[in-house]
Amino acid sequence: MTIEPIAYFHSPFTGKFGVPKQSGLVTTLEGTIEFVPAFRNVDVLRGLDEFDYIWLIWEFSANKHAANSFLVRPPLLGGNEKKGVFATRSPFRPNHLGLSSVRIEKIEWDSNRGPLIHVLGADLMEGTPIYDIKPYVSLADCHPEARCGFVDTHQLKRLKVEYADYVTEKLTKSQQETLKKILELDPRPHYHDDASKVYGMYYGNYNVRFKVDGLLLTVIDCELTDSKVNP
């Protein structure tokens, strides 16, 4: 079977670093789905505005090397315990396919780029290829009583995030709140624990610099930039 992208995702993240590890963790995170020319027709979305959520089937396009192990180390387990790749949502998979549920914020029907779907809560970076879109149906897709393996027994830890005073002057309240929710999830590699290290993350048009000391993350700088490569 040969599949081709039907759309591409537009995200504030121009690289992998900082992207939430699951959809829905940052509910205010905005993104846009833009269709390739062959599907820029309002008929492909007829009736979709009657749904609140959609499933996206997409590609981990930034992972260039092939998956070479049956075992992976989930970040939720601290990177110290191995699980089978099919018992995780690791991006290092045989076919590099991702699955995400996102909320429809609005559908822009009359854009000059064809219909656009504006969504919230995605875990996709800029330019991610999308191969299919399906409506989320709670009758079939929601199982609140289901067991969730190691996710049930390992609570998601969130950092406390603070901004240096001069940083808040550069960001709107909305930007501050969304960025805070992103950074609370601790974008660092799981094996990093150096309070003196300065990390850089591109978010939208900003180069965000921060340090982490224990459970406290401090944003020390936030500069406008035209760069498209993570620092």
Side-chain angles (χ1 to χ4, degrees):
M1 178 177 69
T2 301
I3 59 174
E4 298 290 340
I6 62 163
Y8 288 88
F9 196 80
H10 295 301
S11 165
F13 292 100
T14 55
K16 295 187 293 184
F17 188 60
V19 178
K21 294 180 174 64
Q22 300 291 335
S23 59
L25 293 180
V26 182
T27 57
T28 57
L29 182 56
E30 298 178 344
T32 303
I33 298 167
E34 180 178 348
F35 290 90
V36 300
F39 294 98
R40 290 180 182 175
N41 188 310
V42 295
D43 284 344
V44 300
L45 300 183
R46 186 184 300 180
L48 191 64
D49 51 359
E50 300 171 10
F51 294 85
D52 285 332
Y53 289 85
I54 51 178
W55 289 107
L56 304 179
I57 299 174
W58 49 279
E59 180 186 355
F60 289 103
S61 53
N63 293 346
K64 301 302 182 184
H65 62 278
N68 55 11
S69 175
F70 293 155
L71 298 173
V72 296
R73 301 174 186 267
L76 190 60
L77 299 179
N80 299 317
E81 186 176 343
K82 293 181 179 180
K83 297 289 184 181
V85 64
F86 297 137
T88 75
R89 297 191 175 191
S90 168
F92 302 103
R93 319 187 67 78
N95 288 315
H96 289 191
L97 290 178
L99 177 68
S100 298
S101 175
V102 298
R103 184 178 183 90
I104 299 174
E105 182 182 25
K106 67 177 180 179
I107 298 176
E108 188 177 348
W109 297 101
D110 56 357
S111 162
N112 58 11
R113 295 178 290 163
L116 302 174
I117 308 176
H118 299 274
V119 300
L120 299 172
D123 53 345
L124 285 68
M125 60 178 281
E126 171 66 26
T128 296
I130 296 174
Y131 293 105
D132 203 0
I133 297 171
K134 300 179 186 292
Y136 175 96
V137 180
S138 58
L139 173 67
D141 299 341
C142 182
H143 305 282
E145 76 289 350
R147 295 183 303 145
C148 298
F150 63 86
V151 180
D152 286 337
T153 56
H154 291 75
Q155 185 177 6
L156 183 66
K157 295 180 180 179
R158 296 181 185 267
L159 301 177
K160 179 180 179 182
V161 177
E162 294 183 350
Y163 291 98
D165 290 341
Y166 57 88
V167 173
T168 59
E169 299 172 0
K170 301 179 180 181
L171 300 170
T172 66
K173 288 291 185 182
S174 176
Q175 289 173 326
Q176 291 177 41
E177 286 302 311
T178 298
L179 185 58
K180 179 180 178 181
K181 291 175 182 177
I182 293 167
L183 295 174
E184 282 178 350
L185 298 171
D186 194 354
R188 300 175 300 166
H190 56 78
Y191 52 85
H192 279 209
D193 189 19
D194 183 353
S196 65
K197 181 175 178 58
V198 177
Y199 296 88
M201 180 184 80
Y202 279 105
Y203 177 69
N205 294 323
Y206 291 96
N207 182 355
V208 180
R209 300 276 179 174
F210 62 90
K211 290 184 175 183
V212 182
D213 188 357
L215 295 177
L216 175 63
L217 185 152
T218 304
V219 181
I220 60 175
D221 203 359
C222 186
E223 298 181 342
L224 280 171
T225 176
D226 292 329
S227 175
K228 295 299 182 183
V229 181
N230 267 332

